[in-house]
């Protein structure tokens, strides 16, 4: 894996690990709040608060599962070889920016250069898959000339 791809991979891994830690913390806080809530004379208030905490825990559990799936997807591209066609794990240099086909982590800055980490399932990621250097794509009214694929 090229040095740039390796560094982008590490940035994505850090992004997803931080996301998992934040979700786990939120889940722990919601559990704690639910356990600490004691029943008062206002029984309906207790039940409403408890239900809200349960919804929060359910939402965080779903987010945690999704983040775990992203981490698995990222780990599968750790050692992807360079290809002439864009595939999951490719680094794509275009006329409109640089894209790392990996997970949806947004904008990454590396040595003063911007890269966009996008999933192969994202609309623009889907367009890139299977394309070669020299191909031109249209996305949201912009033309993307694929200059180089690593």
């Amino acid at each position: 894996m090229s040095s740039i791809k390796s560094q982008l991979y590490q940035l994505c891994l850090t992004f997803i690990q931080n996301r998992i830690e934040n979700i786990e913390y939120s889940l722990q806080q919601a559990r704690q709040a639910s356990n600490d809530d004691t029943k008062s004379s206002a029984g309906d208030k207790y039940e409403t608060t408890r239900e809200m905490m349960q919804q929060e825990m359910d939402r965080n559990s779903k987010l945690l599962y999704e983040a775990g799936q992203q981490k698995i997807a990222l780990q599968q591209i750790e050692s992807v070889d360079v290809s002439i066609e864009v595939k999951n794990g490719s680094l794509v240099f275009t006329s409109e920016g640089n894209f790392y086909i990996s997970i949806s982590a947004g904008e990454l800055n590396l040595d003063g250069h911007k890269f966009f980490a996008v999933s192969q399932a994202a609309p623009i990621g889907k367009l890139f898959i299977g394309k070669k250097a020299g191909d031109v794509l249209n996305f949201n009214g912009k033309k993307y000339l694929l200059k180089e694929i690593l």
Side-chain angles (χ1 to χ4, degrees):
M1 186 185 301
S2 75
S3 174
I4 296 172
K5 280 175 66 172
S6 179
Q7 291 175 49
L8 289 171
Y9 175 86
Q10 288 302 319
L11 287 173
C12 286
L13 188 59
T14 299
F15 169 85
I16 201 66
Q17 287 173 331
N18 287 340
R19 185 164 182 230
I20 288 170
E21 287 173 11
N22 289 336
I23 295 167
E24 286 174 338
Y25 178 77
S26 294
L27 192 56
Q28 177 186 2
Q29 292 298 104
R31 281 189 187 124
Q32 187 66 38
S34 179
N35 292 338
D36 288 348
D37 197 15
T38 58
K39 195 163 191 162
S40 66
S41 59
D44 288 344
K45 180 182 174 191
Y46 167 78
E47 292 302 324
T48 300
T49 303
R50 199 150 180 82
E51 178 60 26
M52 288 173 52
M53 290 301 108
Q54 185 59 50
Q55 288 177 5
E56 183 71 13
M57 286 187 294
D58 291 347
R59 185 181 74 79
N60 282 321
S61 292
K62 181 180 177 190
L63 290 173
L64 187 59
Y65 173 79
E66 290 169 357
Q69 293 301 307
Q70 280 189 309
K71 186 173 182 180
I72 290 168
L74 185 61
Q75 289 169 335
Q76 291 174 345
I77 65 167
E78 183 175 8
S79 60
V80 169
D81 294 327
V82 174
S83 171
I84 61 169
E85 290 185 348
V86 178
K87 61 183 180 179
N88 204 19
S90 293
L91 179 55
V92 184
F93 294 90
T94 77
S95 58
E96 296 296 321
N98 307 316
F99 297 85
Y100 181 45
I101 312 300
S102 54
I103 61 169
S104 294
E107 185 179 309
L108 303 173
N109 290 298
L110 182 62
D111 298 330
H113 295 91
K114 288 183 186 179
F115 295 88
F116 297 95
V118 297
S119 165
Q120 68 177 352
I124 197 163
K126 287 179 185 177
L127 286 177
F128 283 139
I129 297 297
K131 300 298 188 261
K132 298 176 183 173
D135 288 349
V136 177
L137 307 172
N138 289 307
F139 183 73
N140 284 344
K142 284 187 179 180
K143 288 189 178 193
Y144 292 79
L145 168 63
L146 277 68
K147 296 178 179 180
E148 184 180 5
I149 301 165
L150 296 178

